[in-house]
Amino acid sequence: MLSRLRIAEWHSWPAVQVAAVRHVLAALWESVLVDGEREPDTVLCGLGNAEGDLQPYLDAWAAALTRPATRLTAAMQLRDLLQHGCELRKGRRRLTNSFWAERATQAEQVLTWLFSPELQVIVFAAVDSADDEETLQVLADLDEAWRAGVS
């Protein structure tokens, strides 16, 4: 559904409408990071089909990892994407959701972020500040997924 925004060339709409759409997209993404009821891969792929630049959404995900109230859910979502939404095929990492096929630039942006040293530093800092076993286990799972290259 979000790809229809791109087809409608929403970036060329009046500035107030573009801002309203971006506000709705940001709220949708924040709900994914907070409530954990939607699969991050599905929503992020939808966003990637609507937006040219996913960095604001990836930054929001990284920020959610730093906040105690959202750390566990954001880490679980990240683990889910690494374990179920990525694969290694012919020596290259790729996102498995087929809707990324038409958005190679955005898919590469997500993969670069997923395996970036900057994200790993954020996760390792979260380990230092986590104070419950469930969060620590999820963060350890992330480290294991990175060490494996892709799950």
Side-chain angles (χ1 to χ4, degrees):
M1 181 173 112
L2 292 176
S3 64
R4 292 185 179 160
L5 284 170
R6 181 172 39 92
I7 293 166
E9 298 179 356
W10 72 280
H11 289 102
S12 66
W13 296 354
V16 68
Q17 291 175 338
V18 170
V21 170
R22 282 221 164 95
H23 180 76
V24 169
L25 295 177
L28 170 64
W29 184 239
E30 187 65 25
S31 74
V32 169
L33 299 176
V34 171
D35 66 29
E37 293 179 14
R38 293 174 196 85
E39 292 184 27
D41 176 47
T42 302
V43 177
L44 191 59
C45 186
L47 292 169
N49 274 277
E51 287 274 25
D53 181 14
L54 293 174
Q55 198 59 52
Y57 304 98
L58 301 174
D59 290 345
W61 201 343
L65 291 164
T66 68
R67 295 188 303 267
T70 56
R71 181 178 295 127
L72 176 59
T73 301
M76 290 171 74
Q77 299 286 38
L78 185 58
R79 179 186 64 187
D80 182 59
L81 182 57
L82 283 167
Q83 291 179 339
H84 305 292
C86 292
E87 68 180 10
L88 194 59
R89 183 178 286 180
K90 296 180 182 178
R92 288 185 45 100
R93 292 181 185 126
R94 70 176 210 86
L95 298 170
T96 59
N97 188 317
S98 62
F99 288 101
W100 286 111
E102 296 178 21
R103 304 296 283 174
T105 300
Q106 290 74 17
E108 188 58 37
Q109 184 179 24
V110 172
L111 286 168
T112 298
W113 177 79
L114 274 175
F115 293 94
S116 70
E118 295 82 10
L119 180 59
Q120 291 176 15
V121 166
I122 290 168
V123 169
F124 296 148
V127 169
D128 290 338
S129 29
D131 57 2
D132 66 279
E133 287 300 315
E134 185 179 15
T135 301
L136 288 169
Q137 183 58 56
V138 172
L139 295 169
D141 292 345
L142 287 171
D143 184 47
E144 186 177 312
W146 280 318
R147 288 177 193 273
V150 69
S151 296

